[in-house]
């Protein structure tokens, strides 16, 4: 039996035993929920002054799993900046020493030779939250135009632009590694591009397209009203060719000096050494970077699908780099299937030495280094070259260079992968600006 409620996000029903059940859904980030349960997104007001009245909140640009991003005006410098406001549960994580975002941003910013390909940190401050939200740690950074995920859209992605993004991203990775940190979360959402709007342009935009809020919603901490995400205008591809691309979102960064075995990255991008919980280093970023290169080079997600023992893997469109799914016919769960796909695309086997140092070796491999369920091996037959050829209109020389560049990133043992500086001299990037 349904009961009428006052707010569209509040759903109340009565089960067969007469118990009242309440379910809340939200049009944007779920405001007003307990930080101790992983919530606590900031409830900032338009025109709110933070950081000793230095920055004035103007609008919400977007939000993610750990924070929301806001456009603000820097009153001392007379410029617009971005404010990354962490949800209070993330602030707790930072206080416990489980997050190195601030240290990583400082490392790539405060240096004699800063890179235009890494996000620049201006300042940090704490902002008291509303209700039970607690404290929000806020990072004040250079304002960017958006991320590559928003830029891609549904149009054919120009290969010269893809190569520009690849080169700039690799420079950012090299700079990050040089200054002692591993990014660990390279994906299109975390590759940003520069903003070419002047202060006057942004002010005019705020007047012509005012900041807005969604309708009020019910929460456990009272009535909330989320701000509408209003990112800056997406540039054309021609305009994007003039932008600088850079690494952003260091929320999962890890210091080079402290790398306990752990899972990193989104599952389909996760390097093999992090699946088996073995020793790992900055080369984890190189594997993730290879996934990004494959996506950008074809404008589509590279996917790996093992059809049978007699069929080579297929690079298919509109998928993540590796399929995150189980293969019951081969008795492979999601992680084991990911390892199976990796072994097939690289045409490599895990060395017994690497497995001996990995905490989860016995979960996946027998004493001889074979997957426990012994699935059939795929016959790749030059798959990367042939599939990139099918997915693009590239000339044959570019197909070969692209496949060779991606292949250098995909080695099961991180020690066999080149570092970022080595990749910067690859022929694939010759002539790219």
């Amino acid at each position: 039996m349904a009961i009428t409620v006052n707010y569209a996000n509040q759903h109340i029903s009565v089960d067969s035993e007469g118990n009242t059940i309440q379910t809340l859904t939200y049009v944007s980030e779920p405001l007003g929920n307990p930080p101790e349960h992983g919530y606590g997104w900031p409830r900032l007001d338009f025109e709110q002054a933070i950081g000793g009245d230095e920055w004035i909140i103007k609008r919400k640009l977007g939000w993610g799993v750990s924070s929301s991003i806001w456009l603000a005006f820097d009153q001392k410098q007379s410029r617009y900046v971005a404010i990354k406001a962490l949800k209070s549960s993330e602030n707790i994580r930072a206080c416990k020493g489980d997050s190195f975002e601030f240290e990583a941003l400082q490392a790539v910013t405060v240096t004699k030779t800063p890179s235009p390909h890494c996000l620049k940190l201006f300042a940090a401050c704490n902002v008291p939250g509303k209700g039970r939200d607690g404290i929000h740690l806020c990072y004040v950074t250079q304002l960017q135009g958006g991320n590559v995920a928003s830029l891609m859209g549904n149009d054919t992605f120009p290969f010269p632009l893809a190569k520009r993004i690849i080169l700039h991203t690799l420079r950012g990775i090299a700079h990050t590694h040089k200054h002692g940190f591993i990014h660990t979360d390279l994906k299109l959402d975390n590759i940003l591009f520069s903003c070419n709007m002047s202060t006057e342009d942004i002010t005019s935009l705020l007047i012509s397209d005012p900041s807005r809020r969604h309708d009020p919603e019910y929460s456990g901490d009272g009535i909330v009203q989320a701000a509408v995400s209003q990112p800056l205008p997406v540039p054309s591809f021609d305009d994007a060719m003039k932008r600088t691309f850079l690494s952003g979102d260091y929320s999962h960064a890890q210091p080079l000096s402290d790398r306990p075995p752990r899972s990193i990255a989104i599952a389909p991008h996760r390097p093999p050494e992090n699946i088996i919980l073995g020793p790992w280093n900055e080369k984890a970023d190189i594997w993730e970077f290879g996934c990004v290169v494959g996506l950008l080079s074809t404008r589509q997600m590279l996917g790996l699908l093992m059809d049978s023992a007699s069929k080579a893997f297929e690079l298919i469109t509109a998928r993540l780099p590796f399929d995150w799914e189980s293969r019951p016919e081969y008795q492979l769960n999601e992680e084991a299937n990911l390892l199976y796909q990796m072994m097939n695309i690289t045409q490599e086997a895990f060395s017994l030495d690497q497995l001996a140092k990995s905490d989860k070796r016995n979960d996946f491999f027998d004493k001889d280094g074979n997957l426990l369920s012994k699935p059939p091996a795929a016959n790749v037959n030059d798959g990367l070259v042939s599939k990139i050829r099918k997915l693009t209109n590239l000339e044959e020389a570019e197909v070969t260079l692209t496949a060779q560049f991606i292949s250098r990133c995909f080695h099961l043992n991180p020690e066999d992968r080149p570092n970022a500086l080595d990749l910067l001299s690859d022929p694939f990037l010759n002539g790219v600006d």
Side-chain angles (χ1 to χ4, degrees), residues 10-26:
Q10 187 180 19
H11 312 284
I12 298 178
S13 60
V14 177
D15 64 18
S16 59
E17 298 180 355
N19 299 310
T20 300
I21 300 172
Q22 176 176 262
T23 303
L24 300 176
T25 58
Y26 295 86

Side-chain angles (χ1 to χ4, degrees), residues 106-123:
Q106 269 199 320
V108 299
T109 301
V110 185
T111 168
K112 292 181 179 179
T113 56
S115 171
H117 305 295
C118 289
L119 186 63
K120 183 179 292 185
L121 177 70
F122 291 145

Side-chain angles (χ1 to χ4, degrees), residues 59-263:
R59 73 166 36 172
K60 189 176 80 177
L61 297 172
W63 68 281
V65 295
S66 63
S67 63
S68 49
I69 310 297
W70 300 77
L71 174 68
F73 187 73
D74 185 328
Q75 298 200 102
K76 288 185 178 180
Q77 300 295 329
S78 296
R79 64 185 177 187
Y80 286 98
V81 296
I83 304 286
K84 179 177 183 178
L86 302 187
K87 62 184 185 181
S88 44
S89 59
E90 286 295 308
N91 196 36
I92 295 170
R93 178 171 164 255
C95 291
K96 289 181 177 179
D98 294 333
S99 170
F100 299 95
E101 183 170 16
F102 178 74
E103 292 82 357
L105 284 169
Q106 269 199 320
V108 299
T109 301
V110 185
T111 168
K112 292 181 179 179
T113 56
S115 171
H117 305 295
C118 289
L119 186 63
K120 183 179 292 185
L121 177 70
F122 291 145
C125 65
N126 285 318
V127 176
K130 293 183 177 180
R132 58 183 173 183
D133 286 347
I135 300 296
H136 302 292
L137 175 59
C138 294
Y139 298 126
V140 185
T141 69
Q142 196 175 23
L143 178 63
Q144 304 301 327
N147 61 43
V148 173
S150 66
L151 179 63
M152 289 185 77
N154 297 315
D155 297 326
T156 301
F157 204 64
F159 195 57
L161 177 55
K163 295 183 78 171
R164 181 177 176 85
I165 297 169
I166 289 165
L167 172 64
H168 289 192
T169 303
L170 188 56
R171 287 173 177 169
I173 296 170
H175 185 77
T176 301
H177 293 173
K178 177 182 177 181
H179 292 282
F181 284 87
I182 311 169
H183 191 284
T184 82
D185 195 24
L186 294 169
K187 55 186 179 181
L188 297 187
D189 305 79
N190 293 341
I191 302 173
L192 311 178
F193 56 83
S194 58
C195 175
N196 70 344
M197 299 178 71
S198 67
T199 299
E200 293 74 19
D201 291 337
I202 297 174
T203 300
S204 296
L205 176 66
L206 289 170
I207 294 171
S208 62
D209 182 21
S211 302
R212 305 187 303 275
R213 290 194 175 274
H214 293 288
D215 292 335
E217 295 178 313
Y218 182 83
S219 82
D221 200 23
I223 306 308
V224 296
Q225 195 169 7
V228 175
S229 294
Q230 296 173 266
L232 297 178
V234 177
S236 66
F237 288 149
D238 286 343
D239 187 17
M241 282 295 292
K242 304 170 187 174
R243 303 293 183 97
T244 299
F245 295 85
L246 60 155
S247 299
D249 193 349
Y250 283 82
S251 57
H252 296 283
Q254 292 289 314
L256 280 167
S257 58
D258 180 23
R259 301 184 307 277
R262 65 176 66 194
S263 294

